[in-house]
Amino acid sequence: MKKNKIETHKIGLVGQAPSRRGDPRKPLAGPNGQKIARLAGMNYDELIACRRRHLNTHYNGMRGKGDTFDHAKGMVNAADVLLDWRVERIVLLGKNVARCFGFRDLPFLAEISIYGRRFLIFPHPSGTNRWWNERRNERRARQLLQRFLRGETVPAEFPKSRRSTRTSSQTSSTGTSANGSRGSISRCKLSRTSRGLPPSKNGRRWDTNAV
């Protein structure tokens, strides 16, 4: 079966921040971007033809084994992405990035369809992310990422997002991961984010699990 061509003008890639040696003017132009291109089956020219942005525009230093991330700045820039980008599919690289868009407590490889766009919560490509240590994880990530970028129907083992059957005041968009886990994001959280406001925490702490 012939595969659909990747239409780069319909794709956005959102990263966390440039690396210590990275160029803030060229998001995902270094090793992390090269890894994403390899997993996506893209060449480098195709990668840089996509919309690309870091939510923290400059390197903020180290914290433990990972990099420091400014959530407040991240949420402001996430709102700019929602308002400014005219793309159909957006890959969110890491849980810090996903939370800035209002998507919390969702597993890697979850797909969310909301407001006419599709979002994929993808593992941060950094080598410090131990999620990549298992080969089966990489195989699943490669398969789903390539289908997502081509705009293809997700296979049966990766069910598409579905609307909840709650009342209109509680309606949420759900995402299902490759391992069958499910999470939800309320409309009010995303609408607050799109106005540049932080999502309501509802008494929860930020999830510090993984990058």
Side-chain angles (χ1 to χ4, degrees), residues 62-78:
M62 294 286 293
R63 186 181 64 181
K65 293 184 179 181
D67 296 338
T68 300
F69 182 71
D70 188 327
H71 283 276
K73 289 181 179 178
M75 284 187 285
V76 170
N77 287 324

Side-chain angles (χ1 to χ4, degrees), residues 155-166:
E157 61 268 30
F158 299 116
K160 278 190 174 181
S161 303
R162 293 187 295 272
R163 294 289 183 186
S164 169
T165 56
R166 297 177 185 177

Side-chain angles (χ1 to χ4, degrees), residues 72 75 100 104 188-189 192-193 195-201 206:
M75 284 187 285
C100 287
R104 303 184 190 180
C188 62
K189 287 180 184 177
R192 285 174 61 84
T193 303
R195 298 198 308 269
L197 300 174
S200 172
K201 292 187 179 180
W206 289 110

